[in-house]
Amino acid sequence: MRFRIDITRREGLSDPEGVTTARALGDLGYDVEHVAFGRSIVLDVPGDDETGLRSQVDEMCQKLLANPVIEDYEISVVPG
């Protein structure tokens, strides 16, 4: 089963990459109010028990893939 994890900074925390990119886009003439950086991870996990596998992926996020102190994450199943 394939899962996608979207990881973003928690609301209210500074995002230096986003601030710098928003400023650079403004310098290039683009009207941008906010830029936020994040990352996506795609995992192929053997099995077909979506509930159990989702629980495992959540555990992976808490232990390694995301920093739960400063990041939020969302897990979704990739169809196909």
Side-chain angles (χ1 to χ4, degrees):
M1 185 166 288
R2 180 169 282 184
F3 291 91
R4 177 182 167 144
I5 305 148
D6 293 307
I7 302 170
T8 56
R9 284 245 181 185
R10 287 197 170 202
E11 195 69 33
L13 294 179
S14 67
D15 181 354
E17 289 175 297
V19 170
T20 301
T21 303
R23 187 178 310 120
L25 289 170
D27 291 346
L28 291 171
Y30 296 103
D31 185 17
V32 176
E33 293 181 4
H34 177 74
V35 176
F37 271 76
R39 63 189 188 280
S40 294
I41 300 169
V42 176
L43 297 175
D44 288 327
V45 184
D48 57 3
D49 173 20
E50 182 178 337
T51 303
L53 294 175
R54 184 182 291 270
S55 178
Q56 281 185 3
V57 172
D58 184 64
E59 189 176 305
M60 292 176 200
C61 290
Q62 291 178 33
K63 289 184 174 183
L64 178 69
L65 301 177
N67 180 345
V69 174
I70 62 169
E71 295 175 321
D72 290 323
Y73 58 90
E74 183 175 323
I75 301 168
S76 56
V77 174
V78 177

